[in-house]
Amino acid sequence: MLNKLAASELVLNPDGSVYHLNLQPEDIAEKILLVGDPDRVPKVSQYFDKIEIQKNKREFYTHTGTLRGERITVMSTGIGTENIDIVMNELDALVNIDLKEKEFKSEHTALQLFRLGTCGSVNPDVQVDNMLVSQNVVGLDGLMHFYQDYQFENEFSRNFMEKFPYERIKPMLYFSEWTESQYDYFKDAKYVGNTATFPGFYAPQGRQLRLKAVDDKFLETLNDLGVTNFEMETSAIYGLSKLLGHKAVTINNVIANRRRGEFSADHHQSEKNMIEWVLERVIK
């Protein structure tokens, strides 16, 4: 197999930047904070000592600067694993592919990726406005089945697959886990849990407006299978990090407990607390 990539495989903008993120290799640091909402990017970068790079295209906003003498990047991904597929592949291209020659580099660079996200809990014992680090993750979106070499299995995944009762959803499932060394930054988090990544906000998360969800007990069933919380991106971040050789961990800010019907009294303050909590630990 040749390492030279066709123009249709690695699409670049006229200035040579990667197509969706609109970035050049020098625009990012090796420590990258991933947030969903573009409006959250300046909420993070306001704490930087200096901002060097500010670029955006579509929902992908990037600020790179320095904090306490170390270079760091914050980037918005938008919502969903389909966006993470773009972000992860283009970030990897920035550090592991020669964009001018469109050839793989001989030396691999491993990025450190930290997702800062909000989530809902399906465990009635988890209190809102606290940090929860994702250890294992189950993806219900099917993304990693499109990658030929992806395989992952552990005790959590085996138990989950054995007992998961929804046969028509089962073929979409895949699993992954954190990069354990990334947890070293966050060992004082109140919770460590198992996360479900959903492909939607309504029926996949048990919400019912005019359309009925698959089962009124869906979230309760997930909790019975060991799931602590749910969101919409982590499975792709963890799965693609394993394939591409990057280090990833998700820090969830629990703003809702769906089993108890509770929502954060001030989710904006809760978000601010998460940002400050993570920045204090990622860069000392």
Side-chain angles (χ1 to χ4, degrees):
M1 176 181 175
L2 297 176
N3 284 342
K4 192 85 171 181
L5 295 166
S8 60
E9 300 302 297
L10 178 57
V11 182
L12 301 178
N13 296 312
D15 65 354
S17 60
V18 290
Y19 185 64
H20 297 91
L21 301 185
N22 193 36
L23 296 173
Q24 303 275 5
E26 61 270 18
D27 293 336
I28 61 169
E30 290 191 13
K31 282 185 177 179
I32 300 176
L33 309 176
L34 300 175
V35 300
D37 185 356
D39 288 341
R40 194 175 294 161
V41 171
K43 292 179 182 178
V44 174
S45 65
Q46 67 176 326
Y47 293 96
F48 293 0
D49 300 323
K50 179 183 178 182
I51 300 174
E52 305 167 5
I53 301 292
Q54 297 186 61
K55 291 187 175 181
N56 68 279
K57 185 179 179 182
R58 304 188 188 191
E59 60 265 65
F60 307 110
Y61 282 67
T62 302
H63 290 183
T64 296
T66 55
L67 178 61
R68 293 185 279 278
E70 187 172 342
R71 203 158 185 257
I72 189 169
T73 293
V74 57
M75 172 185 298
S76 62
T77 65
I79 297 174
T81 57
E82 64 274 25
N83 274 16
I84 297 299
D85 185 62
I86 291 171
V87 169
M88 291 294 298
N89 279 284
E90 293 193 6
L91 283 177
D92 181 75
L94 288 171
V95 296
N96 289 313
I97 297 176
D98 184 322
L99 300 184
K100 291 182 180 178
E101 300 298 328
K102 295 201 172 183
E103 293 179 349
F104 303 148
K105 293 181 179 179
S106 58
E107 294 187 9
H108 178 266
T109 296
L111 297 169
Q112 292 193 65
L113 305 170
F114 306 86
R115 167 166 156 72
L116 283 66
T118 57
C119 76
S121 175
V122 297
N123 185 327
D125 297 328
V126 172
Q127 299 174 356
V128 299
D129 298 323
N130 283 286
M131 306 305 159
L132 186 155
V133 180
S134 297
Q135 180 175 5
N136 295 291
V137 62
V138 52
L140 290 89
D141 56 283
L143 174 67
M144 296 307 298
H145 293 299
F146 288 88
Y147 287 91
Q148 182 175 348
D149 296 328
Y150 188 74
Q151 294 182 355
F152 181 85
E153 185 179 281
N154 65 4
E155 183 178 352
F156 171 76
S157 71
R158 287 189 292 271
N159 178 70
F160 195 97
M161 287 296 283
E162 179 184 343
K163 299 177 181 177
F164 189 72
Y166 305 100
E167 292 299 325
R168 68 176 183 173
I169 299 174
K170 205 168 189 176
M172 296 185 286
L173 302 184
Y174 63 91
F175 299 83
S176 193
E177 65 181 359
W178 63 9
T179 304
E180 188 171 1
S181 62
Q182 294 297 89
Y183 174 54
D184 291 344
Y185 291 98
F186 309 112
K187 286 190 172 180
D188 60 336
K190 186 174 180 66
Y191 302 108
V192 172
N194 303 316
T195 298
T197 294
F198 291 142
F201 183 76
Y202 286 93
Q205 297 186 19
R207 292 183 175 89
Q208 303 183 103
L209 302 183
R210 293 183 60 226
L211 299 175
K212 293 295 184 182
V214 66
D215 188 335
D216 290 344
K217 299 290 187 180
F218 186 55
L219 296 182
E220 185 176 337
T221 299
L222 292 183
N223 185 213
D224 291 342
L225 296 178
V227 169
T228 316
N229 70 306
F230 59 88
E231 43 82 91
M232 297 179 68
E233 288 82 25
T234 294
S235 60
I237 294 173
Y238 281 15
L240 288 168
S241 290
K242 286 204 174 296
L243 281 185
L244 293 167
H246 300 298
K247 302 174 181 179
V249 68
T250 288
I251 304 92
N252 305 272
N253 179 26
V254 182
I255 61 169
N257 189 303
R258 290 288 297 280
R259 295 285 298 283
R260 293 207 307 256
E262 294 177 359
F263 194 82
S264 172
D266 187 347
H267 68 278
H268 295 296
Q269 182 61 47
S270 192
E271 175 191 58
K272 183 175 185 290
N273 293 343
M274 172 184 65
I275 292 168
E276 293 177 351
W277 189 86
V278 169
L279 288 177
E280 285 173 2
R281 287 155 180 78
V282 167
I283 296 181
K284 298 294 185 180

